[in-house]
């Protein structure tokens, strides 16, 4: 039967339809009560318009060619069509225009429980005024909707894209380099950021800011005072003042939600100019609300009109409504085998005690003495899968695994355990003729293909699952690509290392949302591990 269905395109019926309609109606009713008028926009949009905003390919647009050969896209967002309506239908640019919508957005989304090619989104856009009071009004409406829908544990993260932009404007480097740095900041992979930025001719203090930026989120007081130390021009100062204003208003209103500051937000849709906010609800590992200020968007289609708005993914809200509980245990996935043994030693040296753990135990799940940290032992290849999907908040795994497949996780630290290298190896005293196709056996097809294609050597790859060293001995392959630590296995099998491909060590990785919602616990674990690193 499955052959008739497209992955990510869901049929919804029965009670599910009612649930989704109820959520949609709450969004529309709340918006209308607050003075917003409902709009409906076309399914098709002009690709030429969208491609200017989609700088990081975040929209994953579905393109269609019409009968005149024009490239169209299925509406991948709601804000741009609404900015077009406002510019064409509302002539007085001083007028405050408040519009709301409930519409299908044709864009991929992924949650630990589901994957969809499109989703129902409800939201609002308010045009005509730029002030912190309006920012609050819009944010408060989103919170109010989530409360009415039934969520109790709500976390609001606020940031200001103008802070980062202010910094990058003053940085005297080519724009494509700036864009590369921004992309790396978004991955939060400190190792990759350092590797790219360190050789650039940028002032030391600016490099330090770039390294600090991905970690510039968390408790408001701590982050705002850190951010102030990095201010180097009036744009950055103004951006922080704006954040202070909005935070003060929210704080005074006592909304009964957690409010955090995030200055590491990136402008991935390329139209935000100022405030950016995201709302997480319950144990949800993806934000349910995303919004912010895009003051210059309307001007692209007519006259300048500042704008602030948000969108709520109704499908996700529905999926997670039943899970509205906050779990304050931090779940750590460790690569079972060499890595977990070394990691558990590290934890022990840090004073973390897991009473039921012993190297010989066959148990796969251990709680620490305080019952706040849980370790799960999984196959090394599965660590990033557990973390990406939120089944674990953080994980410890070798960079060999992270390089072999792409995962949507943050790589936070190099732990300098599980150290080894990946290399090619061949039978002792033989020469490999790289002018003809070489037979390579390995457990690591992606790393192997990339390595040989960079060298310009054509290969035939044989994927094995272990005991790779046998390859050349039994004439299954000419060479192997495998992990070498002491070199003992190669030696005992009459092989020699030929060329090193990369250094390997274990990394601390983190689920993208857990970094926000369990920021304190993740920070504590990082702090403990960092301190130990300094001592060693
Ligand atoms: N000598 C080594 N051989 C293999 N991996 C090592 C070595 N030293 C460190 N590592 C790291 O440990 C990880 C693999 O650990 P281990 O070999 O215990 O698990 P595994 O390969 O999944 O186990 P198995 O092959 O028994 O299924 C690698 O991903 C790598 O990062
Ligand atoms: O340089 P060394 O210190 O000898 O370590 C390297 C060996 O260890 C690993 O094998 P593992 O024991 O994980 O078995 P596998 O071959 O089944 O993967 C790796 O694949 C090498 O074979």
């Amino acid at each position: 039967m499955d052959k008739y269905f497209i992955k990510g395109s869901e049929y919804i019926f029965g009670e599910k339809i009612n649930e989704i309609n109820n959520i949609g109606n709450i969004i529309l009713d709340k918006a209308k009560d607050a003075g917003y008028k409902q709009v409906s926009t076309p399914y098709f949009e002009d690709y030429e318009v969208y491609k200017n905003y989609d700088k990081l390919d975040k929209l994953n647009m579905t393109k269609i060619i019409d009968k005149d050969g024009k490239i169209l896209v299925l509406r991948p967002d709601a804000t741009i069509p609404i900015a077009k309506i406002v510019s064409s239908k509302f002539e007085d640019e001083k007028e405050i225009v408040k519009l709301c919508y409930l519409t299908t957005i044709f864009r991929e989304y992924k949650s630990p429980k589901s994957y969809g090619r499109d989703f129902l989104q409800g939201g609002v856009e308010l045009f005509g005024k730029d002030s912190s009071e309006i920012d609050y009004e819009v944010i408060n409406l989103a919170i109010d909707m989530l409360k009415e829908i039934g969520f109790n544990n709500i976390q609001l993260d606020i940031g200001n894209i103008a802070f980062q932009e202010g910094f990058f404007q003053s940085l005297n480097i080519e724009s494509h380099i700036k864009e590369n740095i921004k992309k790396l900041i978004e991955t939060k992979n400190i190792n990759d950021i350092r590797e790219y930025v360190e050789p650039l001719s940028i002032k030391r203090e600016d490099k330090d800011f770039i390294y600090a930026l991905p970690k510039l989120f968390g408790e408001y007081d701590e982050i705002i005072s850190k951010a102030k130390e990095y201010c180097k021009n009036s744009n950055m100062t103004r951006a922080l003042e704006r954040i202070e204003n909005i935070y003060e208003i929210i704080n005074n209103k006592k909304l009964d939600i957690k409010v955090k500051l995030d200055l590491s937000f990136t402008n991935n849709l390329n139209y935000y100019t100022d405030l950016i906010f995201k709302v997480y609800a319950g144990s949800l590992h993806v934000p349910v609300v995303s919004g912010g200020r895009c003051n210059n968007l309307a001007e692209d289609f007519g006259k300048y009109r500042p704008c602030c708005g948000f969108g709520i993914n109704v499908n996700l809200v529905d999926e997670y409504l039943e899970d509205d509980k906050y779990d304050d245990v931090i779940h750590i996935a460790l690569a079972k085998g060499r890595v977990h043994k070394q990691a558990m030693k590290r934890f022990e040296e840090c004073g973390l005690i897991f009473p039921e753990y012993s190297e010989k135990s066959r148990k796969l799940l251990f709680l620490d003495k305080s019952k706040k940290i849980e370790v799960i032992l999984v196959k090394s290849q599965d660590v990033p899968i557990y973390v990406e999907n939120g089944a674990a908040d953080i994980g410890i795994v070798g960079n060999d695994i992270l390089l072999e497949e792409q995962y949507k996780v943050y790589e936070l630290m190099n732990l300098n355990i599980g150290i080894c290298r990946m290399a090619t190896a061949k039978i002792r005293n033989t020469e490999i003729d790289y002018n003809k196709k070489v037979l390579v056996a390995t457990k690591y097809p992606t790393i192997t293909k990339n390595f040989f294609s960079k060298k310009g050597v054509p290969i035939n790859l044989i994927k094995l699952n272990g005991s790779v060293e046998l390859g050349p001995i039994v004439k299954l392959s000419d060479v192997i690509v495998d992990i070498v630590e002491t070199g003992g296995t190669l030696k005992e099998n009459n092989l020699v290392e030929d060329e090193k491909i990369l250094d390997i060590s274990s990394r601390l990785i983190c689920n993208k949302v857990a970094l926000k919602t369990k920021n304190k616990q993740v920070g504590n674990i990082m702090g403990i591990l960092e301190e130990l690193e300094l001592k060693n």
Side-chain angles (χ1 to χ4, degrees), residues 338 443 465-469 482-490:
R338 296 172 168 88
K443 258 168 104 169
N465 295 303
S467 302
V468 178
E469 288 83 356
D482 199 16
I483 286 178
V484 185
E485 189 187 355
T486 59
T489 314
L490 290 182

Side-chain angles (χ1 to χ4, degrees), residues 52 304 491:
N52 298 327
Y304 173 77
K491 202 168 168 201

Side-chain angles (χ1 to χ4, degrees), residues 428-441:
R428 184 179 296 279
N429 299 327
T430 55
E431 279 312 313
I432 305 296
D433 181 2
Y434 283 115
N435 292 317
K436 61 179 209 283
K437 247 189 181 170
V438 183
L439 266 172
V440 191

Side-chain angles (χ1 to χ4, degrees), residues 171-194:
L171 202 58
N172 199 10
I173 49 172
E174 287 170 65
S175 61
H176 76 272
I177 298 181
K178 285 186 197 176
E179 287 312 315
N180 288 343
I181 298 175
K182 287 182 194 172
K183 273 188 205 166
L184 285 169
I185 288 173
E186 197 184 5
T187 68
K188 293 200 183 341
N189 186 332
I190 309 288
N191 301 312
D192 286 358
I193 299 173
R194 277 184 191 275

